Amino acid sequence: MTKRKSTGLSKSLVLKGLQCRKALWLKKNPPDFDLPPRPELEARFAAGNEVGELAQQLFPAGIEVPYAGLPFAAQLARTKQLIENGTKVIYEASFSRGGVFVKVDILVRDEFTNSWQIYEVKMGTSVKEINLDDVASQYHVLTQCGLTISAAYLTHINNRYKRHGELDVQQLFRSEDVTAEVVERQEQLAEQLEQLRNTLRLDDEPTIDIGPWCTAPFECDYIPYCWQHIPNNSIFDLRGRGINKFAYYHQGVVKLEELPIAALNPAQRFQVEATLNKQDTTDLPAIREFVDSLWYPLCHLDFETFDTPIPPFDGVRPYQKVPFQYSLHIQQQAGAEPSHYEYLAAASANFDPRRELAEQLIAEIPAEACVLTYNQAFEKSVLRELAELFPDLADALLLRVDNVRDLMVPFKKRHLYRWQMAGSYSIKAVLPALVPELSYKMVRVLGVLREVAV
Ligand code: SF4
């Protein structure tokens, strides 16, 4: 007897299926293929949970229907009981209808109209199309279950909030009324859900080719599996805009050499010709000019920062980059062995490392030194934010900003280009092409420029 296929859908499966029906099918019928782990998703998931729990404070004294350790049926029964008991606010209320199971982040009873308000919490900073599909699927299931929904809101992070003292959740979050958009989606959503159920009934993998949907709105888990047939040096390795790569792909153009060269802009033409001919470029006068613009002592500076949706300290906005580490290599003269200095914040919760870091940095980087970074915009913005935060250190920090020079420039302008860089000038592309050994990476890259310039 043929086993009947499960067509059950959760909210996340619905969203996966709306992005690509093949991804939904593969989720339920995993391919015999080793997919690489994606640890960043776990970190995002944990951050999302933290944001969701904090947002519950917008409607305090609610009762939660836990997910962990409770079977779906028990979650549904618990929700039903809370509704019947007159509970005003329910966190993670659970509903199922038509084979779709959803949990609502915050469900608020509107006592005057005997209806309910849906609040979906997101850690983003604006309302996105995919969020509207998310809320629409909750609205669909809840109304099918017989609830009247008076309003639906998308609650997201307000990135203009700056923390002062205790977290102010009313300021940290912004709720936008998305009722009209969600209601408008209902008719189409019913059809889409039917398509998704039909997809899950299929015995064989749906024949859906790769497309822009592989990376938007999310990067799909199955890219390594579905993109196996794309060779190295394909049209998808082409940098820059102005080329509809999927339009070419659907015409059978896959390899770089198959692209009509006349359709490319000068930078793309440069990339394609360099790759196909394995051709390097060295603009000696320009490299010499760059090397001569630097002076000693020369400090190679590299910050590490973290950013979180919930500002951890005073004076920090959501997603503001907070420096917690720097690496500094100081050369007293050209070709000299660098001395290494480093700041690493103590790993303790609620410790704001910025003052300590700024003071140590000023003590270690001589006022007159050349400060060499890779992609100066980032290091400059960190230094400027520190200067804004600590007015008494501002002059010293801004002096270091004035002395910043950018090691990325010769590569961005292609004064030195190796065909292995594949049109990129990021440190990740430049390093392996120039100096595969990773120690003193920026010192070594400058060393290569110096050797070329001699
Ligand atoms: S990689 Fe692309 S085609 Fe494959 S399942 Fe994902 S979205 Fe669909």
Side-chain angles (χ1 to χ4, degrees), residues 286-443:
I287 293 172
R288 280 197 184 123
E289 193 182 328
F290 175 80
V291 169
D292 290 347
S293 73
L294 309 179
W295 67 95
Y296 290 82
L298 191 146
C299 300
H300 300 261
L301 176 65
D302 188 13
F303 281 121
E304 295 295 336
T305 60
F306 71 88
D307 58 271
T308 54
I310 303 170
F313 318 120
D314 274 4
V316 178
R317 294 182 304 279
Y319 296 111
Q320 182 177 336
K321 293 191 181 306
V322 176
F324 67 95
Q325 182 179 17
Y326 68 71
S327 169
L328 183 63
H329 290 91
I330 303 183
Q331 285 178 290
Q332 295 299 336
Q333 58 197 28
E337 269 303 297
S339 313
H340 184 225
Y341 302 83
E342 184 177 42
Y343 175 84
L344 178 60
S348 92
N350 299 325
F351 170 64
D352 182 349
R354 291 175 296 172
R355 176 87 201 184
E356 198 175 82
L357 178 146
E359 286 178 350
Q360 186 173 319
L361 182 135
I362 291 167
E364 288 178 348
I365 298 183
E368 75 287 359
C370 175
V371 181
L372 196 59
T373 66
Y374 202 93
N375 190 5
Q376 63 177 349
F378 174 67
E379 265 78 16
K380 277 185 168 177
S381 74
V382 171
L383 288 167
R384 285 198 183 106
E385 281 189 358
L386 289 171
E388 197 185 323
L389 186 67
F390 304 118
D392 58 318
L393 304 181
D395 286 349
L397 288 165
L398 293 175
L399 190 59
R400 273 68 180 181
V401 173
D402 288 343
N403 289 342
V404 167
R405 298 294 179 269
D406 196 346
L407 185 55
M408 189 168 79
V409 169
F411 303 102
K412 187 174 180 183
K413 293 187 172 172
R414 292 176 172 170
H415 295 153
L416 187 76
Y417 184 79
R418 298 288 176 260
W419 63 269
Q420 296 94 331
M421 293 176 192
S424 170
Y425 48 84
S426 80
I427 193 75
K428 280 188 189 145
V430 170
L431 259 187
L434 289 190
V435 278
E437 62 286 16
L438 289 175
S439 60
Y440 300 156
K441 57 186 182 185
M442 299 221 300
V443 180

Side-chain angles (χ1 to χ4, degrees), residues 19-24 26 208-211 213-215 220-227:
Q19 179 170 343
C20 174
R21 288 184 296 110
K22 182 173 171 183
L24 170 66
L26 289 170
I208 293 175
D209 204 351
I210 61 170
W213 45 86
C214 295
T215 49
C220 179
D221 298 337
Y222 301 106
I223 287 177
Y225 172 68
C226 296
W227 286 63

Side-chain angles (χ1 to χ4, degrees), residues 177-196:
D177 187 340
V178 293
T179 316
E181 292 92 327
V182 159
V183 170
E184 198 183 292
R185 280 169 149 74
Q186 291 306 299
E187 201 179 315
Q188 192 191 2
L189 182 66
E191 287 169 22
Q192 289 169 320
L193 290 174
E194 192 47 38
Q195 280 177 6
L196 299 186

